[in-house]
Amino acid sequence: MENKNLSEKPVKISVKSLRKCFGELEVLKDMNVEVHEGEVVCLIGPSGSGKSTFLRCLNKLEEANGGEIIVDGNNITDKKININKVRENIGMVFQHFNLFSNLSILNNITLAPVELKLMSKDDAKKKAMELLKRVGLEDKANAFPRQLSGGQKQRCAIARSLAMSPDIMLFDEPTSALDPEMVGEVLDVMKALAKDGMTMIVVTHEMGFAREVADRIIFMDGGYIVEEGTPDEIFNHAKEERTISFLNKVL
C-alpha cells in the first residue's frame, strides 16, 4: 500500500480511554485510537475480542461507559450531542445487510436521504442509480432483497450507506455471512472506496483484504489493543506473542 502520508491529514476519529461494559463484563478496556482522513484501518482478532462493540460505539449504537469519542470534531460521548446529525456522515454496513425486505432496492437506497429531507425524490433516485452502477447492480433497481444473492445484497447495503454521502464508513464483518464465492465482489467495491480516499474502519476476518487495502491493522484481544501497525509490521514482523499465535492460526 503506498504511504498516503496520512499523519498530516486531519484526525476524523479520536478515541480516548474508551470503556464499555455489558453488566459485569468489561468488553472494551481503555481503548485509544486515532484515525486520520482517508485512512483505512482494519480491526482483526478472535471472536469476542470487542471489535464489533468498538465499531458500534463509534456511531453510538452502543453507549460507552467511560472515555470519549470525537468524530469529525463532535464529542459523541456528550449527552447533549445530536447523534442523528453526526450519523449522517457515518455510513455503517452490517454483517447481515439490514435491508428493508418490503422495499425495492432503489427505495432502500433513496429512503434515508428523502426522509431526512437531504434530497428531493428525483435527486435521490438519480444518485441511487449512480451508486447502483458503481457497485455493479444498476439492473437490480426494481428488484427486492429476496431476489438477490448475499453478495448483491451486501453491495446494495454499501450503496445505501453511500447515499448519505458519508465521509466515514464503518464495516462490521461485511463478508462473514456470504458464500465464499461472493466475498470477492463485495471486497472489490470496498477496495474501490478505499482507493477513492474514503475513511474506513473495517472489522474483518479477510486477512488478504486487510493486507492489501489497510493502511493500519489493529489486533484486538480481550477488549484491548494488543498491537497495531502497517500490514507489513503486523503480518510479517508482529512483536506480541498473542498476535503471532492468532496469525499462525488464520494465515
Side-chain angles (χ1 to χ4, degrees), residues 69-86:
I69 303 169
I70 312 274
V71 179
D72 274 335
N74 301 288
N75 181 353
I76 68 166
T77 33
D78 179 354
K79 296 279 179 266
K80 296 188 287 291
I81 191 81
N82 178 353
I83 189 61
N84 292 327
K85 202 75 202 134
V86 179

Side-chain angles (χ1 to χ4, degrees), residues 105-106 109-110 113 119 123-138 155-166 189 193 198:
I105 295 308
L106 186 66
I109 296 172
T110 58
M119 282 184 200
D123 288 346
K125 189 173 170 182
K126 188 169 167 235
K127 172 144 195 184
M129 290 309 296
E130 283 165 14
L131 290 168
L132 282 172
K133 187 168 185 184
R134 187 169 172 184
V135 300
L137 290 171
E138 64 266 54
R155 284 185 282 153
C156 287
I158 294 173
R160 181 182 60 180
S161 286
L162 292 173
M164 296 289 291
S165 304
V189 171
L193 275 179
M198 177 67 78

Side-chain angles (χ1 to χ4, degrees), residues 2-247:
E2 77 281 12
N3 187 333
K4 304 177 193 164
N5 222 348
L6 291 158
S7 55
E8 294 166 10
K9 293 273 184 80
V11 173
K12 295 293 279 180
I13 297 173
S14 167
V15 177
K16 294 191 177 107
S17 307
L18 176 64
R19 288 179 51 250
K20 173 66 189 169
C21 309
F22 293 110
E24 296 289 288
L25 181 67
E26 196 175 17
V27 187
L28 298 176
K29 307 163 186 173
D30 195 31
M31 296 259 310
N32 294 283
V33 181
E34 276 196 347
V35 179
H36 291 263
E37 186 181 291
E39 191 174 11
V40 179
V41 176
C42 283
L43 299 177
I44 65 170
S47 293
S49 56
K51 305 181 300 294
S52 293
T53 302
F54 172 67
L55 207 63
R56 292 169 70 85
C57 286
L58 296 181
N59 61 2
K60 223 172 172 174
L61 286 175
E62 297 290 354
E63 194 79 53
N65 294 100
E68 70 169 22
I69 303 169
I70 312 274
V71 179
D72 274 335
N74 301 288
N75 181 353
I76 68 166
T77 33
D78 179 354
K79 296 279 179 266
K80 296 188 287 291
I81 191 81
N82 178 353
I83 189 61
N84 292 327
K85 202 75 202 134
V86 179
R87 280 190 189 135
E88 287 177 12
N89 282 329
I90 310 173
M92 176 104 182
V93 176
F94 300 88
Q95 193 174 344
H96 293 290
F97 331 125
N98 293 14
L99 295 168
F100 295 108
S101 57
N102 58 330
L103 295 179
S104 71
I105 295 308
L106 186 66
N107 290 342
N108 260 286
I109 296 172
T110 58
L111 183 69
V114 173
E115 289 281 308
L116 294 166
K117 304 202 176 358
L118 299 176
M119 282 184 200
S120 69
K121 272 200 163 124
D122 286 347
D123 288 346
K125 189 173 170 182
K126 188 169 167 235
K127 172 144 195 184
M129 290 309 296
E130 283 165 14
L131 290 168
L132 282 172
K133 187 168 185 184
R134 187 169 172 184
V135 300
L137 290 171
E138 64 266 54
D139 58 332
K140 299 290 185 200
N142 298 317
F144 284 82
R146 64 177 177 277
Q147 298 168 303
L148 303 189
S149 70
Q152 290 171 327
K153 283 182 202 166
Q154 195 57 295
R155 284 185 282 153
C156 287
I158 294 173
R160 181 182 60 180
S161 286
L162 292 173
M164 296 289 291
S165 304
D167 48 16
I168 296 167
M169 287 283 283
L170 308 176
F171 292 89
D172 190 6
E173 299 192 25
T175 57
S176 61
L178 301 179
D179 291 336
E181 67 261 33
M182 291 173 187
V183 168
E185 63 192 59
V186 173
L187 294 181
D188 284 346
V189 171
M190 293 169 65
K191 284 175 193 169
L193 275 179
K195 215 178 172 123
D196 290 344
M198 177 67 78
T199 307
M200 293 164 59
I201 303 183
V202 185
V203 173
T204 187
H205 294 290
E206 298 291 335
M207 297 301 147
F209 173 81
R211 190 189 286 256
E212 183 185 341
V213 179
D215 299 296
R216 182 157 42 120
I217 307 271
I218 293 177
F219 172 68
M220 283 181 68
D221 190 28
Y224 289 105
I225 293 176
V226 177
E227 189 165 1
E228 60 180 303
T230 64
D232 180 54
E233 285 163 349
I234 297 297
F235 287 117
N236 303 328
H237 309 285
K239 295 183 178 69
E240 300 293 330
E241 271 310 305
R242 184 67 192 93
T243 316
I244 294 164
S245 92
F246 173 77
L247 290 172

